[in-house]
Amino acid sequence: MNKFQYVKPATLNEAADILYQNGDEASILNGGTDLLVRMRDKMIKPKVVVDVKAIPELKELKYTEEEGLFIGAVVTMNEIVCSDIILEKYKILAEAAHEVGSYQLRNRATMTGNVCNASPSGDTIAPLYVLSANIKIFSKEGIKLVPIDDFILGVRKIALKPGEIVVGIQIPPIKGKNGGSYYKHSRRKDVDLATVGVAAFCNEGRWKIAYAAVAPTILRGYKAEEILNKLDVIDDTTLIPAMDAAVEEISPISDVRASKEYRFDMIRISLKRAVLAALEQYA
Amino acid sequence: MYKYVGKDVKRVDGLDKVTGYTKYVDDIKMPGMLYAKIKKSPYAHAKIRKIDTSKAEALEGVKAVITGADVPNRVGLYLEDKTFLATDKVRFIGEPVAAVAAVTPEIAEQAVELIEVEYEELPSVFTAMDAIKPDAPLVHENLGEYYHGPIFFPKPGTNISNHYKIRKGDVEKGFAEADYIMENEFYVPHIQHAPIENHSVIALTEPSGKVTVWSACQSPYAVRKALSVAFNLPLHKVRVISPAVGGGFGGKAGTTLEGITIPLSQKCVGKPVKLTFTREEDMICSFVRQGCLARIKTGVKKDGRIVAEENTFYWEGGAYTEYGVNISRAGGYASTGPYDIPNVKADSYCVYTNQPVGGPYRGFGMSEIHFAIEQNLDMVATQMGMDPVEFRKINAIKEGGHTVTGQQLYNVGITKCIEAVEKDIEWGKKSEPSGPNKVRGKGIACMYKAPSMPNNVASSAVIKINEDGTANLLVTAMDIGQGSNTVLAQIAAEELTIPVEKISVVTGDTDITPYEWQTVASRITYCAGNAVKKAAQDAKEQMLKLASIALGLPAEYLEFKDEHVVSKIYPDRKISIASLALGLEMPDGSGVHGPIIGRGSFIPPNVRNTDKETGQGDKPVAFWTFGAQAVEIEIDTETGQIEVIKVAAAYDVGKAINPQLCKAQIEGGIVQGIGSALLEQQIMDKGRVLNPNFVDYKIPAVSDAPEMIVRIVEVPEETGPYGARGVGEPAMVPTAPAIANAVYDALGIRINSLPLSAEKVLKAIKDSQK
């Protein structure tokens, strides 16, 4: 690992200054579960590592009827898995957070970190797409909210400029009947990356679908959603057109985890299982 | 009957390990310690034209740089085909070509990047079948000049570093008599040992030239021997200490990083040099399990008797086969599995390829060949319309039956093992799948294994009796997790009548602990166990003489009981072991004999060479361990995922010295077997390892462990301590073929290669529907 300067600012302003002054040479250290691996492998060589875990605003986890859920940037996956309000109102998020890495890793890893790492297989990102999450960003100019699908630009590419820092994730309140589920297909049951993932969420009969690990970014399954929205009865048979649509919507690659062909097969099964599991939650 | 043997004594090393106290090599820090890093080959096969180390040497903080020129001697356990750093050419991607010692690991790493190597790329070979072609590029042009053990048969001018042959009976005649003849082919890929502790070594050269290495190694004495050859040092000037081994599975059996750290330390006398492999290096630059292609031709009579078999194994040995040649030999002399077949022709070829180095791995060839043998058996049984269990019972070696080398066997427990797993898995009974798109199946596989070792390998033990009646047991058998410290203490306790907690086990220091060939081959309980038993008996004989004087009774009227020497007739006439420990004090105040030190030596009795041309011999191995496993699996037919629900295992261990540890060993083996069956494969592209990390090399997690029913069968081995045989490696051998057989039972589909990944299973399901 290369030498670097470690700083731990206590306020958002201080952090923004450091990030602005150092531009591309600074990296934000949150849980560190992705950053440190990339530094060890020399994929990145930051000169300044900015630890944001001392900034009070980033530690918040709160819910209001008006604004919905706010998950501060440094809230860990295990905190999310164990949050009563998330389990009650956004179970799909707790489910997805529980899929990330191992228990030990989830003590460090954060959902904001997962989003900012912008890996196509990031387990919590697809659920955030179907929940229409916004990324809350601080800069000296003020606070702005960016929809998650505008925030994630590509593999490990996000819309964050020098001097900007993610404060947390804002998820709108959900009104009416709803249910959601994240289905992850992986080689091993635990502690594995998604070979294919599907998040399915239904609110008052309207579906939102997102696919993971089958394109450079998480993809919304607009075609599948359209088909699902028209279905009166959802079961193994009536789901087939939506499963066919999913295949058309993705552009997977072959890698050491699976071939492209297997990913096409698994998107069908994952979509079916995610939708059926979401229906079981629907209430 | 026994007080300590056969009891679930708690692990003597348990507390230190669970509290994190145990110090492994990488935990050791010494004053003035330097850190080493290696420069690795980016080519699978290339001539080294030039190495320029000047920039690295000039970097501040760099204390030594070495290249192949510094380590020119060829070494190897069975075939001296390797040097610790590449000299003339590189033979696999990741092969070390140079090394640096510096004051920090970071500087060492930086220095490695400054070393400039000029290569001339050569054509490479990546499969055994390509490598045996007449026009294949040679991985070792000088194979004919390499020193090797007399039981190995390299073919100079080819890539075949060993050809082991079995010619038993008349195979032509056997096939002529057969009612059915079937041929099948199987393949197992390279896999990783994946111990929790990476390879790590510290070397220190003293001003006198004496070298000490602290090495996470299974076999300190074998390592010492190899190092003495490599560095032209007499044995007393090489000290190998193995402080603790964080999992070996065979991967720490031979020499590894010692050969790189020693020459660095010789250039920095007085300063310890540490080299710890990263996980990636561990997975690329150290031993892996070899790939193996197996072809089996079987001739069967209508009544189910196999009358002829022709087996050919091609081992993908990688760039160096100093150890791998013996795996091919083991595959040869066990080539039919635990079955009595009168006519056999077997050829086992160890083949060089430009891939990571194949080496010992738990099972030592048996997992690979049994994957083929046991699936083949099921395929033959299916064709004949016979039940796989019945078919195995017909052909299994019986009392007085013969192995493939013509050895006649007695005390054979294989049928008992088959019966046990048949019952425990409820063979023949179908259970309900857990949901739609799920199917279930059951499968069985058997195995046998002998310790794969030269005939006359030796063990020894020393027991020092202390003046308070406690004892120190000195051995170089290494506790690599299998529990040998506990088991050997139990044996000493049983003989001496001293409780286990009063015996301290000291291991792994070639200057202090007595000779042990290697901790491999599932041989420690048997070999070291016998040595410990003899050492205890030796100590007892000394104490008996003294007790006889003290008690005024002939020695034959005395026995050991509860830490005392006691009269068999008058139990109140006794003397404690404590009072004999330093010799006997006479009534006039004088003393006789002095401290009691028991010594025990052991070599497996009467193990002899086999015939070079036929492989036949009446006792080529010390003993055979037999076992069987039956599994129940559930397959998700939409995804191809296999879940192992239940595994029933039964092994004839002769005598379980510690039943709890024995069962734990078997459970561990089953889980490792499941890993090799479902998940594990070193994925390679033209010699480059694509998954040298745990992100993409998956071993089973705790949630992958099935319900396990483990049965211990005890048909005593007459040469074993208390009848014990080894079981460490046999534990994982039948799991993968049993699962493959269960896949067939569930789906009617045969998959002839490992791993049975979800993707592969789904593809097979889809292909079968076409």
Side-chain angles (χ1 to χ4, degrees), chain A residues 42 188 190 259 265 272, chain B residues 109 638 699 703 759 766:
Chain A
K42 300 203 169 69
R188 189 173 66 189
D190 290 322
S259 71
D265 286 336
K272 177 170 86 174
Chain B
E109 206 173 324
E638 288 187 324
I699 59 173
S703 50
E759 176 162 2
K766 287 169 86 176

Side-chain angles (χ1 to χ4, degrees), chain A:
Chain A
M1 210 181 271
N2 287 57
K3 277 190 180 167
F4 58 86
Q5 196 191 346
Y6 169 86
V7 289
K8 193 169 185 180
T11 66
L12 277 170
N13 272 322
E14 199 188 331
D17 282 342
I18 298 167
L19 288 169
Y20 186 77
Q21 282 156 17
N22 292 283
D24 289 345
E25 293 185 338
S27 287
I28 293 175
L29 170 67
N30 193 343
T33 56
D34 286 306
L35 182 78
L36 295 188
V37 174
R38 287 164 60 72
M39 285 171 69
R40 174 193 180 267
D41 292 347
K42 300 203 169 69
M43 294 158 84
I44 50 169
K45 297 173 182 173
K47 294 209 169 124
V48 183
V49 169
V50 186
D51 187 343
V52 294
K53 288 193 286 293
I55 302 170
E57 292 92 327
L58 275 51
K59 296 177 188 173
E60 254 185 318
L61 175 65
K62 68 170 182 192
Y63 176 80
T64 60
E65 293 286 339
E66 304 72 40
E67 290 189 6
L69 180 70
F70 175 76
I71 303 172
V74 304
V75 175
T76 66
M77 294 291 187
N78 271 346
E79 286 171 316
I80 291 166
V81 173
C82 299
S83 155
D84 289 339
I85 192 77
I86 295 177
L87 283 167
E88 188 199 322
K89 297 199 180 288
Y90 303 90
K91 197 175 172 196
I92 183 174
L93 274 188
E95 239 178 55
H98 190 258
E99 285 293 333
V100 177
S102 62
Y103 187 89
Q104 293 89 330
L105 184 128
R106 293 193 291 270
N107 276 336
R108 301 288 304 181
T110 64
M111 197 171 274
T112 293
N114 200 218
V115 169
C116 291
N117 190 50
S119 158
S121 61
D123 283 314
T124 64
I125 310 177
L128 290 170
Y129 269 61
V130 299
L131 293 174
S132 307
N134 290 296
I135 307 304
K136 192 172 177 181
I137 298 169
F138 172 89
S139 71
K140 283 295 195 64
E141 278 93 66
I143 295 273
K144 63 177 176 181
L145 285 174
V146 179
I148 188 161
D149 41 355
D150 291 336
F151 182 72
I152 293 179
L153 305 173
V155 181
R156 299 187 193 285
K157 283 201 188 101
I158 51 173
L160 199 66
K161 291 196 281 286
E164 290 186 334
I165 172 170
V166 176
V167 184
I169 301 165
Q170 186 76 50
I171 302 154
I174 305 163
K175 305 228 159 47
K177 285 179 84 175
N178 68 86
S181 185
Y182 176 63
Y183 183 83
K184 174 175 173 175
H185 180 82
S186 51
R187 295 159 298 186
R188 189 173 66 189
K189 270 185 265 178
D190 290 322
V191 202
D192 197 0
L193 300 172
T195 305
V196 167
V198 172
F201 180 70
C202 184
N203 187 7
E204 291 293 325
R206 303 291 294 174
W207 284 90
K208 281 188 183 164
I209 300 292
Y211 310 123
V214 288
T217 66
I218 303 298
L219 293 177
R220 269 287 291 281
Y222 293 111
K223 285 184 190 166
E225 289 171 8
E226 213 178 293
I227 296 167
L228 288 167
N229 287 340
K230 288 178 192 153
L231 288 182
D232 296 325
V233 181
I234 293 181
D235 61 25
D236 277 31
T237 322
T238 60
L239 268 173
I240 290 172
M243 290 156 67
D244 292 339
V247 170
E248 286 171 28
E249 293 186 283
I250 62 170
S251 53
I253 54 162
S254 293
D255 60 17
V256 290
R257 278 159 223 157
S259 71
K260 186 161 82 175
E261 293 71 26
Y262 189 64
R263 285 196 164 95
F264 276 125
D265 286 336
M266 284 311 101
I267 199 74
R268 298 172 57 87
I269 305 305
S270 302
L271 176 79
K272 177 170 86 174
R273 293 183 181 183
V275 167
L276 293 176
L279 277 181
E280 276 179 31
Q281 303 285 330
Y282 194 68

Side-chain angles (χ1 to χ4, degrees), chain B residues 40-361:
Chain B
K40 297 178 283 260
S41 164
Y43 294 106
H45 198 190
K47 255 189 206 147
I48 299 173
R49 282 180 160 279
K50 200 174 130 198
I51 304 184
D52 184 351
T53 59
S54 56
K55 284 181 193 161
E57 280 160 18
L59 187 70
E60 201 184 326
V62 170
K63 298 295 179 186
V65 181
I66 55 163
T67 66
D70 295 287
V71 283
N73 290 5
R74 270 196 301 269
V75 293
L77 190 64
Y78 299 112
L79 166 71
E80 291 183 352
D81 69 352
K82 79 166 181 186
T83 50
F84 288 114
L85 295 170
T87 50
D88 52 336
K89 58 178 194 172
V90 289
R91 296 178 172 89
F92 71 100
I93 295 173
E95 179 166 5
V97 291
V100 173
V103 293
T104 69
E106 290 77 16
I107 294 173
E109 206 173 324
Q110 217 182 325
V112 157
E113 282 164 24
L114 294 173
I115 298 173
E116 289 162 6
V117 189
E118 233 178 78
Y119 295 99
E120 178 188 329
E121 218 181 331
L122 297 167
S124 313
V125 279
F126 302 114
T127 67
M129 297 320 286
D130 283 344
I132 58 168
K133 285 178 185 160
D135 57 343
L138 289 181
V139 180
H140 290 263
E141 296 84 351
N142 304 325
L143 177 58
E145 296 165 20
Y146 294 171
Y147 172 79
H148 59 83
I151 50 176
F152 301 101
F153 311 106
K155 299 230 165 296
T158 75
N159 283 318
I160 296 169
S161 58
N162 188 33
H163 177 196
Y164 187 85
K165 286 190 258 187
I166 290 279
R167 302 290 182 265
K168 180 190 180 189
D170 185 341
V171 80
E172 303 287 326
K173 190 164 145 270
F175 280 116
E177 287 169 3
D179 294 315
Y180 305 97
I181 296 173
M182 284 158 257
E183 288 183 64
N184 294 303
E185 187 175 299
F186 305 89
Y187 180 73
V188 293
H190 300 71
I191 63 172
Q192 298 283 353
H193 300 79
I196 194 164
E197 176 205 28
N198 293 353
H199 283 87
S200 185
V201 168
I202 301 167
L204 172 69
T205 301
E206 294 171 18
S208 68
K210 181 167 180 172
V211 171
T212 301
V213 295
W214 291 261
S215 168
C217 70
Q218 296 177 214
S219 311
Y221 276 93
V223 169
R224 183 180 74 156
K225 175 82 189 305
L227 297 177
S228 110
V229 172
F231 300 104
N232 306 316
L233 288 163
L235 290 170
H236 75 294
K237 291 272 191 187
V238 185
R239 179 181 185 186
V240 179
I241 300 170
S242 182
V245 182
F249 309 109
K252 292 169 186 162
T255 49
T256 52
L257 313 184
E258 300 88 354
I260 297 171
T261 46
I262 289 174
L264 285 170
S265 80
Q266 286 174 325
K267 291 194 167 190
C268 319
V269 172
K271 286 190 181 298
V273 179
K274 181 194 269 187
L275 175 56
T276 299
F277 265 176
T278 63
R279 180 58 68 178
E280 290 85 345
E281 287 169 334
D282 225 60
M283 287 182 150
I284 296 169
C285 315
S286 74
F287 284 137
V288 297
R289 190 172 94 180
Q290 329 187 72
C292 181
L293 179 81
R295 289 183 180 146
I296 303 184
K297 180 178 167 188
T298 317
V300 204
K301 298 288 277 181
K302 278 179 185 155
D303 61 7
R305 280 181 301 126
I306 302 173
V307 287
E309 202 162 276
E310 194 175 319
N311 296 350
T312 318
F313 304 136
Y314 300 97
W315 301 87
E316 280 165 0
Y320 299 94
T321 63
E322 52 120 348
Y323 216 128
V325 288
N326 199 30
I327 301 166
S328 63
R329 174 175 171 268
Y333 72 59
S335 51
T336 57
Y339 305 102
D340 197 337
I341 301 172
N343 306 294
V344 181
K345 175 176 183 278
D347 295 277
S348 187
Y349 299 96
C350 189
V351 185
Y352 284 125
T353 55
N354 294 111
Q355 288 167 316
V357 179
Y361 183 110

Side-chain angles (χ1 to χ4, degrees), chain B residues 451-519:
Chain B
S452 312
M453 55 193 186
N455 303 335
N456 58 346
V457 295
S459 298
S460 55
V462 169
I463 291 176
K464 301 191 290 176
I465 309 292
N466 300 316
E467 55 268 44
D468 60 355
T470 64
N472 289 80
L473 169 61
L474 278 62
V475 290
T476 312
M478 295 306 302
D479 196 324
I480 58 173
Q482 85 282 44
S484 60
N485 281 3
T486 310
V487 163
L488 297 178
Q490 283 177 263
I491 292 174
E494 187 64 46
E495 292 300 318
L496 293 166
T497 74
I498 296 175
V500 172
E501 60 271 21
K502 288 190 177 178
I503 297 171
S504 165
V505 186
V506 182
T507 66
D509 183 337
T510 57
D511 268 13
I512 296 169
T513 57
Y515 185 87
E516 181 61 66
W517 176 65
Q518 290 209 66
T519 300

Side-chain angles (χ1 to χ4, degrees), chain B residues 748-760:
Chain B
I749 294 171
R750 274 284 157 203
I751 299 177
N752 294 18
S753 67
L754 287 177
L756 305 168
S757 65
E759 176 162 2
K760 199 188 277 180

